[in-house]
């Protein structure tokens, strides 16, 4: 009976993966596992790595900061603008809007809308 490449546990000749540590036991299993991992990483926007993953993280950060600013300044009247700016930027809201419109919105229109709302909120906070 052969042993696992990684942990030494006994494995059957027909096992593609170790039952203890899940290490691939042959080249075909390794190739299939790598393909699966690559496919999942591409489907998740690189898993948070690369330009798309960084952009998505930045969208969440800006969206949450705007939402907190909106909740903080809600009584001043400016909070509504900050809340809307935060919602426009968040990826789930953007994805929902794209689904409803049937086409992608793009980064520039989203950033322009959020920027305009943020400027309006700042103006309302300063001048009102």
């Amino acid at each position: 009976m052969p042993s696992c490449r990684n942990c030494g546990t006994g494995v059957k000749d027909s096992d593609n993966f170790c039952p203890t540590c899940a290490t691939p036991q042959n080249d075909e299993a390794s190739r299939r596992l790598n393909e699966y991992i690559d496919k999942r990483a591409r489907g998740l926007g690189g898993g948070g790595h690369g330009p798309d993953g960084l952009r998505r993280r930045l969208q969440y950060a800006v969206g949450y900061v705007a939402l907190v600013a909106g909740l903080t300044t809600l009584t001043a009247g400016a909070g509504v603008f900050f809340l809307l700016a935060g919602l426009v930027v968040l990826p789930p809201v953007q994805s929902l809007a794209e689904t409803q419109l049937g086409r992608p919105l793009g980064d520039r229109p989203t950033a322009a809308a959020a920027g305009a709302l943020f400027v309006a909120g700042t103006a309302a906070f300063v001048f009102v």
Side-chain angles (χ1 to χ4, degrees):
M1 178 186 273
S3 60
C4 172
R5 295 176 170 184
N6 183 49
C7 69
T9 300
V11 294
K12 300 175 189 168
D13 287 330
S14 61
D15 286 345
N16 287 325
F17 297 93
C18 174
T20 303
C21 69
T23 299
Q25 296 302 304
N26 55 51
D27 292 337
E28 177 62 19
S30 292
R31 185 190 64 74
R32 287 182 23 225
L33 178 62
N34 287 333
E35 282 179 4
Y36 175 77
I37 291 170
D38 289 344
K39 181 180 174 184
R40 294 285 298 174
R42 280 191 306 274
L44 297 174
H49 303 291
D52 288 339
L54 180 61
R55 181 181 59 83
R56 189 171 175 88
R57 286 181 176 193
L58 185 60
Q59 281 180 287
Y60 273 110
V62 169
Y64 289 137
V65 166
L67 289 174
V68 168
L71 292 172
T72 305
T73 60
L74 195 56
T75 58
V80 174
F81 294 106
F82 292 131
L83 285 172
L84 289 173
L87 288 174
V88 166
V89 172
L90 288 175
V93 175
Q94 186 177 3
S95 179
L96 180 64
E98 290 173 345
T99 301
Q100 292 297 317
L101 292 172
R103 63 180 178 85
L105 293 174
D107 293 337
R108 288 189 179 148
T110 301
L117 288 165
F118 197 78
V119 167
T122 303
F125 184 73
V126 170
F127 297 116
V128 174

